[in-house]
């Protein structure tokens, strides 16, 4: 059996809006979503108007416990707090964490190690590294609480594959399955150049269960004129340009047997 989850990021989110998103998905049997209790989050005035959530198929996965988050504005005041939900599916228990690190925008003047030092990582790299460290600590508590070391981090990390925040997560044992299983594919276009700020990072035990990874290029390659908030006559309710980032699609084997990794054997005759 394959479990499919959806991490939704980058929409002005209220419970009513989220319910509408679920309804708009139409014939797909999705009827549930996870958001943490207010006790898990900072006060409303300290939260971003845009937040994250996890939408899931009840027929594929069953929530285990309540959704979790972080309340630490010393690290997350300029980003969106990660939201986590543990699920059971088939033979496994695993946790999904939806993320959105601080952007590379300098609309607020950066100071200290957040100043752009010209190495290509942009402003606020220091904060993104600290957010990566906070996320790794959060994951440790999630592992303890769920009794499972199988964790999947999803979302917009606002860092490319080799940048410092990603390296900080690799150093704690995460593998970017987007990069390893879908090499050369991108989820974002900026200034005419392609790359990926969006990632799917798995712990070693869950990476073994990944059956495939793909990027659904429905947004980044489309003109921003088609966005819902740019030019109304061009807007369409279809999937295209629903965001400026593309979804990362990850398949998981949740049965007793892990998927086989087939290695191609070639014979060379010279």
């Amino acid at each position: 059996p394959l479990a499919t989850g959806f991490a939704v990021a980058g929409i002005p989110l209220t419970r009513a809006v989220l319910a509408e998103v679920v309804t708009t998905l139409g014939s797909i049997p999705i009827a549930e979503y996870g958001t943490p209790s207010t006790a898990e989050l900072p006060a409303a005035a300290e939260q971003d108007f845009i937040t994250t959530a996890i939408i899931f198929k009840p027929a594929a996965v069953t929530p285990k416990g309540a959704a979790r988050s972080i309340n630490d504005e010393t690290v997350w005041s300029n980003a969106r707090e990660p939201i986590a939900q543990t699920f059971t599916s088939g033979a496994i228990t695993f946790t999904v964490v939806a993320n959105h690190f601080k952007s590379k925008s300098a609309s607020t003047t950066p100071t200290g190690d957040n100043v752009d030092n010209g190495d290509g990582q942009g402003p606020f790299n220091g904060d993104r590294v600290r957010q990566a460290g906070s996320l790794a600590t959060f994951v440790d508590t999630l592992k303890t609480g769920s009794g499972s070391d199988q964790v999947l981090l999803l979302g917009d990390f606002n860092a490319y594959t080799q940048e410092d925040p990603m390296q900080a997560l690799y150093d704690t044992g995460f593998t970017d399955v987007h990069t390893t299983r879908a090499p050369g594919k991108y989820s974002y276009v900026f200034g005419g150049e392609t790359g990926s700020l969006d990632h799917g990072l798995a712990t070693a035990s869950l990476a073994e269960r990944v059956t495939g990874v793909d990027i659904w290029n429905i947004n980044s390659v489309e003109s921003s004129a088609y966005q819902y908030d740019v030019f109304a006559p061009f807007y369409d309710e279809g999937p295209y340009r629903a965001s400026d980032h593309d979804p990362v699609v990850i398949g998981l084997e949740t049965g007793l047997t892990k998927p086989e990794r087939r290695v191609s054997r070639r014979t060379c005759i010279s």
Side-chain angles (χ1 to χ4, degrees):
L2 299 179
T4 306
F6 298 83
V8 177
I11 58 174
L13 190 63
T14 64
R15 294 186 71 85
V17 169
L18 188 51
E20 182 179 352
V21 171
V22 171
T23 301
T24 303
L25 288 169
S27 60
I28 304 174
I30 299 177
E32 303 290 342
Y33 53 89
T35 54
S37 69
T38 53
E40 289 278 328
L41 291 166
E46 297 176 323
Q47 297 181 46
D48 197 318
F49 179 62
I50 299 173
T51 186
T52 56
I54 297 170
I55 299 175
F56 59 91
K57 292 183 178 180
V61 294
T62 301
K64 179 182 178 181
R68 300 287 308 279
S69 189
I70 299 174
N71 186 347
D72 183 358
E73 291 300 278
T74 66
V75 177
W76 296 98
S77 63
N78 60 5
R80 291 146 202 167
E81 292 81 0
I83 291 176
Q85 178 65 61
T86 298
F87 296 99
T88 59
S89 179
I92 70 170
T93 296
F94 64 99
T95 301
V96 175
V97 188
N99 300 277
H100 196 293
F101 285 10
K102 172 67 180 82
S103 74
K104 295 179 183 292
S105 168
S107 55
T108 300
T109 303
T111 59
D113 62 0
N114 284 321
V115 174
D116 186 352
N117 65 10
D119 66 357
Q121 300 190 78
F124 292 98
N125 191 54
D127 277 351
R128 287 190 292 276
V129 170
R130 283 181 281 275
Q131 287 156 11
S134 175
L135 175 59
T137 300
F138 180 46
V139 166
D140 286 340
T141 66
L142 295 172
K143 290 178 181 177
T144 300
S146 69
S148 171
D149 63 356
Q150 300 187 91
V151 180
L152 182 64
L153 309 180
L154 298 172
D156 179 3
F157 293 84
N158 272 306
Y160 293 104
T161 305
Q162 300 302 325
E163 292 187 3
D164 295 340
M166 304 307 298
Q167 296 294 334
L169 292 169
Y170 305 152
D171 288 346
T172 64
F174 280 96
T175 296
D176 188 351
V177 295
H178 169 188
T179 301
T180 58
R181 301 295 295 274
K185 295 195 174 184
Y186 60 88
S187 66
Y188 191 66
V189 176
F190 183 79
E193 296 184 321
T194 60
S196 287
L197 299 172
D198 314 277
H199 304 276
L201 286 84
T203 52
S205 57
L206 192 60
E208 294 177 346
R209 290 185 169 272
V210 172
T211 59
V213 179
D214 204 353
I215 310 300
W216 191 18
N217 293 124
I218 57 172
N219 295 321
S220 66
V221 295
E222 300 288 342
S223 169
S224 60
Y226 294 111
Q227 287 183 192
Y228 68 93
D229 59 348
V230 176
F231 187 56
F234 284 1
Y235 173 69
D236 182 85
E237 292 186 353
Y240 301 100
R241 201 60 191 188
S243 173
D244 54 344
H245 296 248
D246 294 320
V248 179
V249 183
I250 300 172
L252 294 176
E253 173 57 62
T254 63
L256 288 172
T257 305
K258 299 174 186 176
E260 292 184 11
R261 294 294 300 274
R262 293 179 174 85
V263 178
S264 176
R265 297 176 183 270
R266 299 180 180 179
T267 301
C268 298
I269 301 175
S270 59

